[in-house]
Amino acid sequence: MDIVSVNRVRRLLAQYGERFFERMLTPGELADCRTSSGLDVLSLCGRIAAKEAAFKTLRVRGRFLPWPDIVVRRSEGGWPLVELHRAAAEMAAESGITEITVSISHDVDYAVAVAAPIVAPTPYVSSIPNEQ
């Protein structure tokens, strides 16, 4: 789970502009957050929270969040989808994670995201001799 302050992101956007967020979001993610009047701050906050929440499911120590390698896109139905690339995909594979599902919610002051890993099933091995 992760939570992002809308006011903080709004301040960063005002101070540094969209370029600041180009380090965190891919061009496609930024396009998903764009409206006719510019970036939608709530959508931007939701994407950031979703990436952080997805990264937390990987349970890796001493590794930094590979921002561009975790991509949160809008499905045709409108719900968020997580795509893992390069370093994030490697971390997921090391943890036995095949996919990450995420839910995003936002209100006036905060955006939150909850992510859940989908773990590859492990083969059943019986502890009883001669039973497989």
Side-chain angles (χ1 to χ4, degrees):
M1 178 174 199
D2 197 70
I3 185 169
V4 172
S5 165
V6 172
N7 287 333
R8 181 169 185 253
V9 170
R10 194 172 276 130
R11 278 195 312 270
L12 290 169
L13 187 59
Q15 187 173 359
Y16 300 108
E18 289 184 26
R19 289 193 56 108
F20 180 85
F21 297 98
E22 290 174 1
R23 294 181 294 161
M24 293 183 225
L25 284 82
T26 66
E29 289 173 307
L30 285 168
D32 283 349
C33 295
R34 197 171 308 289
T35 67
S36 59
S37 60
L39 281 179
D40 176 62
V41 176
L42 288 176
S43 293
L44 187 64
C45 292
R47 289 291 188 301
I48 293 167
K51 285 183 176 235
E52 291 270 6
F55 179 67
K56 289 174 182 177
T57 70
L58 299 176
R59 300 203 175 262
V60 292
R61 293 182 64 153
R63 305 277 298 266
F64 291 102
L65 191 155
W67 286 100
D69 295 349
I70 299 174
V71 179
V72 180
R73 297 297 309 269
R74 184 181 314 133
S75 72
E76 289 183 22
W79 55 85
L81 298 173
V82 176
E83 301 169 2
L84 302 175
H85 302 280
R86 296 171 298 278
E90 290 172 16
M91 288 181 231
E94 290 168 9
S95 297
I97 296 170
T98 59
E99 188 179 348
I100 297 174
T101 183
V102 68
S103 178
I104 301 170
S105 184
H106 38 68
D107 198 359
V108 175
D109 296 323
Y110 295 97
V112 296
V114 176
I118 298 173
V119 180
T122 55
Y124 172 76
V125 178
S126 173
S127 59
I128 300 172
N130 298 323
E131 180 183 300
Q132 292 291 330

